[in-house]
Amino acid sequence: MTGEFERRHGFPPGANEVRPASRDDQAAARTLAQVSLIPADLVTFYDSIGDVTWADVGNGYFLDPASDVLLRLQEYGVVDLGADQKVQGLVIGSNGGGLSYVLGPDGSVHRTRTASLDEPELDKVADDLRQFLELLERALKRFVADGEPGLL
């Protein structure tokens, strides 16, 4: 498989994994829940999953560990999701092309249109975390089947 991947894409495969949550990941998720209004689905996710790294699926898909989400929140704050700037979300991951995934307080997932988070323009990509994870799974299956991950 490694030879096939390298022949097809021109570089060797990188890290591609869904890492189980450690006690540190779970502790960071609990701290995140205490300092920010986050959907319960994200806490449940981080109770089992430490992070997702699919470096070789398209440009890549990354769901950050809770500790990184917490650190980003502490250093940079929340991201404004609406034009009225009353709805704010957390950056939970990115694609390898520089776009970020932002989780809203209602559980919806948005993707930035550009790499900047200063005044981001966002598109809603999923109604909730579960739907977003299902879209990620479809992107992985499509990439395995035909080498194209889609536009998530």
Side-chain angles (χ1 to χ4, degrees):
M1 181 72 172
T2 298
E4 171 67 21
F5 183 92
E6 191 167 354
R7 195 176 89 258
R8 179 188 269 184
H9 299 286
F11 55 90
N16 295 286
E17 69 176 339
V18 177
R19 185 179 57 79
S22 67
R23 290 182 193 260
D24 290 342
D25 293 319
Q26 294 166 340
R30 286 190 297 276
T31 301
L32 185 60
Q34 291 171 354
V35 300
S36 180
L37 293 175
I38 64 170
D41 286 353
L42 187 62
V43 177
T44 301
F45 174 81
Y46 282 134
D47 195 44
S48 298
I49 305 297
D51 64 85
V52 175
T53 301
W54 291 346
D56 296 325
V57 178
N59 287 332
Y61 291 110
F62 308 92
L63 292 181
D64 299 331
S67 58
D68 287 2
V69 174
L70 180 61
L71 181 63
R72 189 179 303 109
L73 175 64
Q74 292 168 338
E75 289 184 2
Y76 303 106
V78 293
V79 174
D80 293 324
L81 293 177
D84 60 8
Q85 298 185 353
K86 292 181 182 178
V87 178
Q88 299 175 323
L90 295 171
V91 176
I92 60 167
S94 63
N95 71 14
L99 304 182
S100 296
Y101 298 111
V102 180
L103 184 72
D106 64 351
S108 61
V109 180
H110 306 258
R111 181 189 60 228
T112 59
R113 292 183 188 159
T114 65
S116 174
L117 289 170
D118 293 332
E119 293 182 23
E121 294 180 23
L122 298 118
D123 294 311
K124 184 176 174 180
V125 294
D127 292 332
D128 56 32
L129 187 59
R130 179 185 182 128
Q131 183 183 33
F132 179 68
L133 295 172
E134 289 169 351
L135 292 171
L136 277 177
E137 180 183 31
R138 279 189 228 144
L140 176 62
K141 287 179 179 178
R142 181 175 176 188
F143 185 75
V144 168
D146 65 18
E148 293 295 326
L151 300 174
L152 185 62

